[in-house]
Structures are given as C-alpha cells and as structure tokens.
Amino acid sequence: MSKRLFFNTIKHLKLKQIIFQIIYRGKLNKILIFPLLILKFNRINKNLLWKSHYKNIDSYLKSNTFNFLNIKHKFNKKIDWNFDKNKKLWNYNLNYFDFLNQNNMSNERSLAIISDFSDSYKSISHGHDPYPTSLRIMNLIKYACERQYFEKKFIEIIKSDTLRLTKNIEYHILGNHLLENGFALWFSAVFFQNKSLTKFSKNLITQQLDEQILEDGGHFELSPTYHMIIILRILDCINFIRTNSLKENVFEKFLVNKSAKMKAWLENMTFGDEVVPLINDS
C-alpha cells in the first residue's frame, strides 16, 4: 500500500477505530477489554420462547449442499467449516447458521449439522470472526427457544461464541457490524440471564442506533440493504421482548420508535414495484 493511499484511508477513521485497530492487532484485547463485565453463564432461561414471523431464505438444500451468493457447494460426509474456495464471504454465510431458521428445515438435519459444527469448533477460522459469530449467536438462540433444545454441547457453542465476542467487539469497524455485535450480545444476555451483559448490550444498541439512524430515519451508510437488515434486527428484539413478556418497557419503546422512523424512510425509498434501489453497498 502506498503512503498516499494509506493516509487517505486512515484520515477518515475515528480515533476509536485507530485505537482498537492497535489493540486487536496487538492482541491486547484479551487483557484490556471489558474487565468489569461479569460474564457468568450458569443459568439458562429455559422458559424463553421464539415465534418466527418470517423465515430465512433456503440456503441449505439437501445432502450437505449449501447455496450462498448464488453459488452451490456440496460437502461429503463432513462439512468443511473453513472452506474458502468460494471466497471468504461465502464461508461467512456458511457460519451464520441462517439455515437453522429456514423453511422446512428438519430437526434431524439441524441437529446433525450442529453436531458437525461442534466437533469442528476448536479448528474454526473465519467463522470465529465477530460478524459471523454475532449472527450465529442469534440464530442458535432462536433455534433453542423455538424448539426447546438445550443440549450441553449446543449451549457451550453459544457460551463460547459470546465470551469471544465480548473481547472482539468491532469498534475498529463500527457501523452495522457494531450493531450486530450489540444485538447478539443482548440476545445472549437475556438467554443466560446475565445482568451486566444485558446493561452493556442495551447501552451499546441504544448509543449506536442514536448515532447511526439519521433524523429522516435512514441508516447513515445509506445502503437500503443494510437499512433493511437493521430494521429486521430491531423487530427481532421487539419480538423477543413481547413473546416472552420481558420487563423492558423503556428499551422496547425506544426500539419501536426507531423502527417506525426507519420503516417510513424505507417506504419513501422503495419503488412502486416494491423494489429498493441498489445503491451504495446493496
């Protein structure tokens, strides 16, 4: 990278991003970040429910065949969770576990995939990055609550993912990545009944939504795709609160107000045929 290109890149970064780039690249996060968080996961709230009001698109087809980004790949008996021949983003999608909450996903097939992942967990590479970890946490918790599945190895995945995420929150990237981290940590905090993590994650979500959602209701990255993903996450949180009658009146009201503003922006940006403009990172 030329000095000029390097300068023109970092001049747009916030001081926080530069500081956390240094922390993460120097692996200082293991000792410096969030020492005040009390991260005990001894209790699971097994009374939690999840009611799906939508299903993810079908990315798992059959016989260990996955379809991400319009690219299909069939694994043999064992899934290669580090498979990168279709590029890193394809591998990220594999590790999101969106397929757990797609239509017609049998319990038997889901559990087989979860078991395969659990056996490979320690050797995972890209799938341990904060962004896919965040999405996987939410998908696993939705699955657990909807199907009332709390097998020990399964819970250990959520616990390990959560602990690693708390030490790798994407302050060096910010934007929608940081919001996904916050949503995932809130889901996990409710699931494990962890008060310190609940407070931390709610503050993170609140601060970031106030910063990232503009006065007109648009997301500050001005990507209709990111905008819709964030609305969906907010609605997931509202759904979780209402389905389980959680005592989160202030937080729920805040989320409802943000989603209403974002919905209005999206309606104004959507064409008559219900297609959104593919601008910026869409």
Side-chain angles (χ1 to χ4, degrees), residues 13-21 23-24 29 33-34 37 130 165-175 177-179 181-182 185 200-201 203-205 207-208 211:
L13 298 179
K14 293 183 177 180
L15 178 60
K16 177 186 286 188
Q17 289 178 283
I18 296 173
I19 292 172
F20 275 89
Q21 283 283 358
I23 289 174
Y24 288 147
N29 47 316
I33 299 178
F34 314 124
L37 276 180
L165 181 58
T166 60
K167 292 183 175 294
N168 293 277
I169 295 175
E170 294 173 282
Y171 289 115
H172 59 309
I173 296 178
L174 300 179
H177 278 240
L178 187 53
L179 266 175
N181 301 162
L185 291 176
F200 173 84
S201 57
N203 286 340
L204 179 59
I205 292 169
Q207 291 167 4
Q208 287 305 309
E211 179 179 337

Side-chain angles (χ1 to χ4, degrees), residues 224-258:
T225 299
Y226 287 172
H227 187 98
M228 290 188 289
I229 290 172
I230 293 166
I231 288 181
L232 192 59
R233 263 343 144 235
I234 295 173
L235 295 178
D236 277 348
C237 292
I238 295 170
N239 181 14
F240 208 34
I241 291 170
R242 292 181 176 177
T243 299
N244 296 287
S245 300
L246 302 179
K247 296 179 181 178
E248 293 286 5
N249 295 339
V250 174
F251 188 47
E252 179 186 357
K253 184 177 180 181
F254 171 80
L255 294 174
V256 169
N257 289 338
K258 288 294 181 185

